[in-house]
Amino acid sequence: MDLPFREFFEFIKNKRNFLVCCHIHPDGDAIGSTLAIGSALSRMGKQVTMVCTDGVPNVYRFLENSSMILSDYNPSDIDDERLEVLISVDCAEKERIALPAKILGGNLPIINIDHHITNIGFGQLNLIMPDAAATGEVIYRLLSAGGIDLGHEIAVALYTAIATDTGFFRYTNTSWYTMEIAAELVKNYQVDLAKVAEQVHEQKSYNSIRLLGEVLNSIQVGIGGKVAWAILDQRMLMKYPVENEETESYVNYARSIEGVEVSILFKEFRPDEIKLSWRSTTAVDVSKLAANYGGGGHARAAGCNLNGPLEKVVSEILAYVSDFYQQCDTEY
Ligand SMILES: [Mn+2]
């Protein structure tokens, strides 16, 4: 068995009480990975509490035991003392773990399971594999190495984690190995892949589609046709109230325009609080652009937050991206 995997099983051997958590604003990989590792630990006879303070997005509630992920977690001090290990999945920074501050600030040893290249290894034990398409892929490798039978529930959770993080096997993080894992999950555990795709993509609320219409209307293209951006402001959000996660995919439409390399969605989360989502084709690593503003993520998908009036943030960012392209030109 590979060393980090062996260390994982050594680490958990004599521990009984586990807390499993993912990052804030959870996506399919975060929720699927939480459920997979949570369920695997239960199968090993461990006590498991799964927590995500942001709750489980609607589209992932079809996953078995997703209702066991607590959004409201207020342990008593006695419960606190019982906890022995915190397992963090898909979370690049300790500060982004979706847990009450009281627990996060405590001294629980952390097992950090992730695939973000920016993860600095904040755990006592770190299983970070940047070559994995999803944290679900890391967990698949881990559980396989440990000879743990997945069963249907874990298989569906892992498939969902991997499928959503790869844009259903379209993004560049998808390797032949990713496809092989997906095939195994479908073959050995009868994962209904059409059902997963339908649950994730075709259960949208009427409001979210109407809101998408407004966002699409706002799209502009500039910087030689290489950059497209869209606006989602408070006025639109008031008109079509939606769950936060329902707007996650909007930024992809701007990227799909011919010739566009970078797309940005400016979401006016609250007045003067702007959340930026970045997407790119293979030409640009947007995690570096987002990092300039204290954000992060992956080469093809990243995010950051800026304070200030929407118009000001938009013009600042566009000026920055324009500079970035000018520097690229001089380098060539
Ligand atoms: Mn992920």
Side-chain angles (χ1 to χ4, degrees), residues 23 27-30 33 89-91 114-116 132-136 161 164-165 173 298:
H23 56 78
D27 55 13
D29 191 21
S33 294
V89 295
D90 199 41
C91 191
D114 191 22
H115 69 126
H116 290 89
T135 299
T164 52
D165 249 26
N173 60 347
H298 300 285

Side-chain angles (χ1 to χ4, degrees), residues 203-213 240-242 246 250:
Q203 301 290 327
K204 296 187 171 51
S205 69
Y206 179 52
N207 266 357
S208 82
I209 296 296
R210 298 292 303 270
L211 182 59
L212 172 62
Y240 300 112
V242 294
E246 291 184 275
Y250 290 179

